Each structure stands twice: as structure tokens, then as C-alpha cells.
Amino acid sequence: MKAHDGMYIGGQWRPARGPDTIAVVNPADEQVIAHVPAGTADDVDDAVRAAREALPGWAATPPAERAARIAALRDVLVARADEIAETVTAELGAPLQLSQTVHAGVPVLVAGSYAELAASYSFEEKTGNSTVLLEPVGVVGAITPWNYPLHQVVAKVAPALAAGCTVVLKPAEDTPLTAQLFAEAVDEAGLPAGVFNLVTGLGPVAGQALAAHEDVDLVSFTGSTAVGRQIGATAGGAVKRVALELGGKSANVILPSADLAKAVNVGIANVMSNSGQTCSAWTRMLVHKDQYDEAVALARAAVAKYVPGERIGPLVSAKQQQRVRGYIEKGVAEGARLVAGGPEAPRETGYYVSPTVFADVTPEMTIAQEEIFGPVVSLIKYEDEDDALRIANGTVYGLAGAVWAADEAEAVAFARRMDTGQVDINGGRFNPLAPFGGYKQSGVGRELGPHGLSEYLQTKSLQF
Ligand code: NAD
């Protein structure tokens, strides 16, 4: 796609208020592929104003009509899937096949699910002598990360639109082209002017201005815990609603009765997909002590299939590459054993990191506690089920996880004891309707499905 040199505000591409731009870099070859405007507080203000003006009309639009617009948006995403996939590959570095199936494919499912939900959801309930109206929260400030450039946008914008809210989006500075493409899709789908607005820009400038804007009613943020904490504090100070999707350090718990080879293979694939840049990735693999050596051998064999530049792409930026290599060095320094990969870059050009497997990782090591956001898996040995549970729950995070056992009921019993927002049982499939979000410091609120829709609604009770 051709980059826009303006902002999408009030249904048009308008020149940015300031002269600054952001260079977009292809992480596979380190070439600058485009420039987008770096928005200022004035651009954010324009966009919030447009969203505020559009709010009464959109909130009063019958849900069936909102549903039809979201369905039209879904159809544009389908029609432009190739362009979306190519754009994600260009600015994120994901292999094209992953961009086609996941980066372009999942948002179609999510947008489709909200087209259906908007039409079928009960925006009015009865309880006792009351009627409860579920009304849109208002103007939403959405701040998204780069790891799933379109999914993160659609997972906020689609439910917000379904609820009758209007939106200002500030996408990640590393992947603004996909966000511009999304704004084109919104336009093509015929959404009324001002219902969706896009301001590209830097986090501490445009992001901060959006989070702090007094005319924004709800801030929905996905990204790092450090920034999330700051946004939560700002929103709390202004008594406005906030939803936070933060980091994770999910455990993949392989119980002794499980199909070990399958659990290890799927576990490695889960982390290597998207170069490990997935907040819900199962980066800690917990294996019973009697099966540990076999699991290490299986993991070494499984990871060998992920050849950098072929099946696995680079990280998004030089900064992330450096950060992840720093964690690998730290793992070695703290005494973990490298089974595959290591801190050396596997290719001369591009922000690649070697797919890395660590064994002899103990639960308190930095690599077992902190989110790495790269293709790095830590194999941790447990003594018995209680020990596995203690390790699984022993981080500040609680976003996702997995349990494997021969008997589904055995896996479910373990999953019930995990402090985490999602658990995949024996490699369960992705469900766009399942609520996604964190326990503990992984966040506040839920995305996707009806739970994700309710985040954008507030209640009004009428008594009779
Ligand atoms: P980040 O939190 O810095 O950025 C996420 C979004 O917030 C971006 O749009 C950014 O511009 C914006 N932002 C940054 N500073 C801001 C501020 N002060 N006020 C308002 N908005 C601001 O994340 P990052 O630097 O892109 O990635 C760093 C780490 O975040 C990763 O290593 C990973 O641990 C984590 N991360 C998590 C997820 C997730 O889905 N949970 C996604 C991406 C990154």
C-alpha cells in the first residue's frame, strides 16, 4: 500500500498539524519503506473532537445497522486480505504465510463475530422491577502495540463500534501502515464520519495525549506493563474507565500422563510463531523430572525446524532484538543451559534472533520471571503436581497457559487451579468468542466475544 501523509479524522485524510514524521522500517532488511506523520496533542485533540461529534448519532444508530456496517468492514478486510498480509510482512517482518493466515485472517473472524454480536446482543435487560439499559461508554481512546498490528486494532475497534462508541486509535509507531490500511477499510465500509479516527505518532507524545485527554471516556491499552501502569494511573486520576492488556509469562504444563512429543512440539510452535512476539506465548515449559531429558531432546529437535528468514521472521525492531539478546545472555549468566540458539544474531541483516531453548532453568531466574517477547523457551523441571502449580503461578503475570494430560478431566482440574485468564487444554483451538485478558499484572478487563463487548457498555437502571 501507499502510505498516507495525513491523519484520518472526521471521515477524511487531513494534513497533520506538525511537520514531524516517523520512518517505517522493514525489519527483515532494515530498509526504510515509508514515512507517516508523527501526531501531536493538537492532532489528538482534533480526532477526539470528531469522535465526540459523531457519538450521539452512532450511539443512537440501531444495533442492526451498526452490525451491518461492521459486516461491511469485515467484507473489506476479506477483499483486501492480500494487501493486509503484504503490509504486515513489510513492517513487522512476519513470514507471508503467517501474515495471510493469522495477521489478515484472525481480524476477519473477530470483526465477523462483532457483526453478529451487535445484531444479537441484548442491550436491555430486566431484573426485578427494573429495566437495565446497556449504553455505550462514549469516546474510546485505543492504544495498540505492533505484535499483531491488525488484530490488536480490530479487537478494540470492532466491539467499541458494536457497543455504539466512537474511537480514536493511536497505533504502535513500528506498524502504522497496517493501521492506515484499516482506516481505508473503515472508509470503504461506509462508517459515518468521525466514528473512527486515526492518529499515528509516538507513544509518549500522541499516546500520552490521548490517554490524558479529558474528553475521552475509556482508554483501552495493549502493550507493556510499564506503560500500562502509567496509563492506569492517569485514567484513575481522571476517574475514567480503563482496560489494560499487558504482558505475560505463560506456563505450558505437561503432566506425566500427556503425549509428551505432541505437547513439546505444539509448545515450541506456540512460542516460535510470530518470532515469540505474542503476549500469551507459553514461554515456560514445565516438565516432570522423570521426563525432563526426553523433553529437552524433543524440544531441541522441534526448534531446529525454525530457520530464521524462512519459517521464522525477524523481531520488529533493533531495539527488541537487542532486548531479547540481552535476556539470552542473562539466562546464560544465571546458569541456564543453552540447548539451541544463543545470543548471536543468525543473519547479518535484519533484526533476527536465533530460536533459543534453555534447559536447567529454575523458577526464580530472570528468564523464567520476565517477559522476553522473542523466540525463547525455558524448560523447567517439576517434582510433582503441586510443585508444577507453584511454578506455574509463581510470576506476577497471569495471561494464558496450557495443560496437557491423557485425560481431559485431569487437565481441567489442574487448569482450575491456575491463576491465569486463558488455558488451552491439550492444544485447544483459538476461539474468537472466548474472553481474553489477564489475572494479576497481566491486565484489567477482557477482549473478544460478549465479554469484550461489555467493556464498552455502561448500565443505566430504570425502576418501575
Ligand atoms: P509499549 O507499551 O511501549 O507500546 C505499546 C503502545 O503504547 C504503542 O502504541 C506505544 O506508542 C504506546 N505508548 C508508549 N508509551 C506511551 C505513553 N507514555 N503513553 C501512552 N501510550 C504510550 O510497548 P513496546 O515498546 O512496543 O513493547 C515493549 C514490550 O511490551 C514488549 O517487549 C512486550 O513485553 C510488551 N508488549 C506486550 C504486548 C501485549 O500484547 N500484551 C504487545 C506488545 C508489546
Side-chain angles (χ1 to χ4, degrees):
M1 74 168 285
K2 196 178 164 306
H4 290 269
D5 58 7
M7 307 295 184
Y8 184 72
I9 295 176
Q12 326 168 9
W13 291 95
R14 293 194 200 168
R17 293 280 212 113
D20 294 345
T21 59
I22 296 171
V24 185
V25 176
N26 181 331
D29 62 12
E30 305 180 23
Q31 298 299 306
V32 173
I33 52 173
H35 288 87
V36 300
T40 62
D42 289 338
D43 294 298
V44 169
D45 197 48
D46 291 344
V48 173
R49 228 177 269 268
R52 177 61 60 189
E53 270 169 37
L55 181 65
W58 185 243
T61 301
E65 214 171 297
R66 296 205 296 260
R69 286 300 109 220
I70 299 169
L73 174 60
R74 187 251 344 259
D75 293 346
V76 179
L77 297 180
V78 171
R80 299 185 69 172
D82 287 343
E83 202 183 345
I84 290 167
E86 281 158 23
T87 306
V88 173
T89 289
E91 62 182 358
L92 179 69
L96 191 59
Q97 204 204 348
L98 183 75
S99 293
Q100 287 162 335
T101 52
V102 175
H103 291 291
V106 171
V108 168
L109 295 178
V110 173
S113 76
Y114 280 112
E116 280 173 30
L117 270 167
S120 60
Y121 198 79
S122 219
F123 290 94
E124 211 174 294
E125 295 167 354
K126 288 225 182 303
T127 178
N129 61 314
S130 303
T131 296
V132 180
L133 308 180
L134 295 145
E135 300 186 334
V137 169
V139 173
V140 173
I143 301 175
T144 54
W146 40 261
N147 62 338
Y148 289 87
L150 187 59
H151 169 69
Q152 303 282 19
V153 168
V154 172
K156 296 189 190 306
V157 176
L161 298 183
C165 294
T166 58
V167 181
V168 176
L169 169 68
K170 205 302 284 174
E173 40 274 61
D174 292 305
T175 55
L177 301 179
T178 308
Q180 289 191 339
L181 196 41
F182 178 76
E184 286 184 8
V186 165
D187 199 76
E188 223 176 301
L191 273 116
V195 166
F196 170 82
N197 308 276
L198 171 70
V199 175
T200 51
L202 300 175
V205 183
Q208 172 105 29
L210 183 59
H213 200 290
E214 60 180 20
D215 219 14
V216 167
D217 300 299
L218 162 70
V219 182
S220 180
F221 169 82
T222 300
S224 62
T225 302
V227 175
R229 196 172 279 131
Q230 216 176 310
I231 287 178
T234 305
V239 197
K240 69 173 65 158
R241 304 239 318 229
V242 66
L244 306 171
E245 293 287 342
L246 309 178
K249 191 73 194 172
S250 299
N252 178 16
V253 182
I254 307 176
L255 294 175
S257 64
D259 177 340
L260 185 66
K262 186 171 176 201
V264 171
N265 277 307
V266 175
I268 293 289
N270 171 282
V271 179
M272 295 306 146
S273 170
N274 213 36
S275 307
Q277 304 168 116
T278 305
C279 43
S280 56
W282 312 329
T283 50
R284 296 179 298 150
M285 191 183 285
L286 276 52
V287 184
H288 187 267
K289 60 180 180 192
D290 294 344
Q291 297 173 325
Y292 192 75
D293 292 342
E294 191 185 347
V296 169
L298 286 165
R300 180 191 285 123
V303 84
K305 288 183 253 163
Y306 293 87
V307 178
E310 291 172 24
R311 198 147 157 196
I312 186 165
L315 298 200
V316 72
S317 64
K319 186 177 114 191
Q320 284 299 114
Q321 181 197 36
Q322 231 172 344
R323 208 159 159 167
V324 172
R325 288 168 66 188
Y327 272 117
I328 298 173
E329 281 164 2
K330 194 143 201 176
V332 173
E334 289 184 6
R337 173 165 57 101
L338 267 179
V339 171
E344 300 78 30
R347 290 168 73 101
E348 254 172 45
T349 310
Y351 309 129
Y352 290 90
V353 169
S354 288
T356 296
V357 175
F358 275 114
D360 301 342
V361 178
T362 56
E364 62 286 350
M365 284 180 185
T366 306
I367 55 168
Q369 287 292 324
E370 295 185 14
E371 183 175 51
I372 298 182
F373 237 59
V376 182
V377 185
S378 293
L379 270 72
I380 305 176
K381 194 184 290 182
Y382 68 82
E383 294 286 323
D384 55 27
E385 227 174 85
D386 283 345
D387 191 34
L389 186 72
R390 185 183 57 79
I391 298 167
N393 288 342
T395 75
V396 297
Y397 294 114
L399 190 56
V403 185
W404 300 81
D407 176 18
E408 210 164 80
E410 184 192 355
V412 171
F414 191 94
R416 284 183 187 278
R417 299 166 73 200
M418 291 171 80
D419 300 332
T420 191
Q422 273 212 351
V423 184
D424 289 351
I425 304 294
N426 286 332
R429 284 171 301 122
F430 173 72
N431 174 6
L433 293 176
F436 180 83
Y439 278 33
K440 302 193 282 184
Q441 286 184 31
S442 286
V444 176
R446 293 291 179 270
E447 293 195 317
L448 305 182
H451 296 81
L453 177 55
S454 67
E455 294 282 330
Y456 296 92
L457 295 166
Q458 58 189 345
T459 57
K460 180 185 286 171
S461 307
L462 309 181
Q463 282 62 246
F464 294 89

